[in-house]
Amino acid sequence: MELHLLPILTCLSLVVVVSNASLPSEVYWKLALSYTPMPKAVRDLLQLNSMEGGSSINVSKVVLNAIPADVFIKYQNPLAVDTPTEDQPQDTSRKGYFLEKDLHSTTKMKMHFRKTTNEATFLPRQVADSIPFSSDKFPEILNRFSLKQDSEEAEIMKETIQDCEQPALEGDSRFCATSLESLIDFSISKLGKNIKLISNGVEMGSQEYELGVGVKVVADKSVVCHKQKYPYAVFYCHAIHKTRVYTLPFVGTEDGTKAEVVASCHIDTSAWNPKHAAFQVLKVKPGTVPVCHFLPRDDLIWVPK
């Protein structure tokens, strides 16, 4: 009997893998994260969008309208350069950068929150896995979405794929998730199953908000996933252990409305490009002090419970 156990167990493992690959996303979440409720920020990404029988996505509407709220910085690879222009003043209120010490002082931090317009939702895993996602297969991708190579949509999609193919910083693991299941798998591989997801999913008005009392450190390691401009939901996820994640209580200056915002402080910036916008805005040098920034409303942040 013992001689037959290994083949039997192998077959059972294959059945489990195949079954999980075809599970609805909600069921996959419950199996993988049985003690973690699915937050609204994720449920909103699971609208029916199968692409079966042809494309059911209005690519122009989704890609061209995917503009992040201007109060939050768009995620940028720290290896890249971002030089502020005349219409983007070098101040923290517009770029979203600040120093960690500002969270523990009497410094007043004011922000003006607006909603984002990135409406892309997740495809089922089997469908997402069937669509190429690489620069060398880009003509095939354009054909799949009936797009011309010189179109504005194609240029945006190409940039997203190239961003996903950029090398990670030393000590930083990165991965572009094209389905909720792959996003879950990556996060678990870096933090384990005892995790929870937080986001800036609260609805906030157009008034200014001022930092209130009750700043909290949520975690000293995390997996942060940044939503990209693409026809369906794609998240650029990276696991950075030399960070501190904060929740910041903001209060509306007009009517006292309260809102909790998530921010990340990078403890070690020594490998960042010296011309990165954060250093220009904060007037500091790489590797000298922790650099913090608010996380966009579309971001998903995984932290240990």
Side-chain angles (χ1 to χ4, degrees):
M1 288 293 293
E2 292 182 359
L3 295 176
H4 299 287
L5 282 178
L6 185 57
I8 292 174
L9 290 174
T10 301
C11 290
L12 287 174
S13 298
L14 288 174
V15 171
V16 171
V17 170
V18 173
S19 299
N20 283 348
S22 59
L23 287 173
S25 298
E26 298 93 329
V27 178
Y28 192 88
W29 176 288
K30 291 179 181 179
L31 289 175
L33 302 167
S34 54
Y35 298 104
T36 303
M38 181 183 287
K40 183 179 183 300
V42 174
R43 291 198 306 271
D44 290 345
L45 294 168
L46 296 179
Q47 299 174 15
L48 183 60
N49 194 3
S50 67
M51 283 187 65
E52 294 178 0
S55 176
S56 60
I57 300 175
N58 185 333
V59 178
S60 296
K61 178 177 181 294
V62 175
V63 175
L64 299 183
N65 290 342
I67 303 172
D70 61 0
V71 298
F72 291 126
I73 62 168
K74 173 185 179 294
Y75 173 71
Q76 178 188 45
N77 190 318
L79 294 174
V81 178
D82 177 20
T83 304
T85 59
E86 291 182 0
D87 62 335
Q88 293 177 309
Q90 298 185 41
D91 63 75
T92 56
S93 64
R94 288 297 300 274
K95 298 298 292 184
Y97 298 107
F98 56 94
L99 297 176
E100 190 175 33
K101 67 180 181 63
D102 294 336
L103 299 176
H104 310 288
S105 68
T106 57
T107 302
K108 297 297 182 182
M109 300 175 62
K110 290 187 178 181
M111 292 295 293
H112 184 82
F113 299 103
R114 289 198 327 187
K115 297 180 181 179
T116 63
T117 57
N118 194 328
E119 298 178 359
T121 56
F122 278 122
L123 292 177
R125 186 176 204 166
Q126 305 96 303
V127 179
D129 288 349
S130 71
I131 303 174
F133 189 80
S134 64
S135 295
D136 59 351
K137 294 293 184 66
F138 197 60
E140 185 178 342
I141 297 172
L142 295 182
N143 183 60
R144 184 70 179 254
F145 291 99
S146 302
L147 292 173
K148 295 182 178 180
Q149 190 168 355
D150 60 352
S151 65
E152 186 177 355
E153 296 92 333
E155 190 62 32
I156 292 173
M157 292 166 61
K158 182 178 181 180
E159 182 180 345
T160 291
I161 292 175
Q162 290 175 339
D163 285 345
C164 285
E165 293 174 339
Q166 290 295 314
L169 292 173
E170 185 178 352
D172 183 1
S173 300
R174 51 154 296 279
F175 173 72
C176 272
T178 58
S179 67
L180 176 60
E181 293 87 343
S182 61
L183 186 148
I184 292 171
D185 292 346
F186 178 76
S187 302
I188 288 177
S189 73
K190 299 303 174 184
L191 299 174
K193 285 193 172 185
N194 192 27
I195 56 178
K196 64 179 180 179
L197 189 148
I198 58 177
S199 66
N200 288 324
V202 293
E203 298 293 340
M204 296 172 282
S206 60
Q207 64 181 301
E208 283 191 326
Y209 289 76
E210 185 175 276
L211 183 63
V213 178
V215 174
K216 297 179 181 177
V217 178
V218 178
D220 58 4
K221 61 180 178 179
S222 62
V223 170
V224 180
C225 299
H226 310 275
K227 195 174 186 183
Q228 304 299 295
K229 292 184 179 182
Y230 213 69
Y232 54 91
V234 171
F235 281 85
Y236 183 115
C237 299
H238 56 133
I240 310 177
H241 297 294
K242 295 181 180 180
T243 61
R244 277 187 284 270
V245 179
Y246 285 85
T247 54
L248 311 178
F250 277 83
V251 181
T253 56
E254 295 178 11
D255 60 10
T257 300
K258 295 181 179 180
E260 189 174 75
V261 177
V262 184
S264 179
C265 292
H266 299 264
I267 309 306
D268 183 7
T269 61
S270 56
W272 289 27
N273 191 311
K275 295 183 180 179
H276 192 281
F279 305 128
Q280 299 180 49
V281 169
L282 299 174
K283 308 300 182 185
V284 297
K285 295 182 178 180
T288 55
V289 293
V291 170
C292 307
H293 61 84
F294 300 106
L295 292 170
R297 187 176 183 272
D298 286 328
D299 279 11
L300 301 177
I301 306 97
W302 299 86
V303 296
K305 286 185 178 178

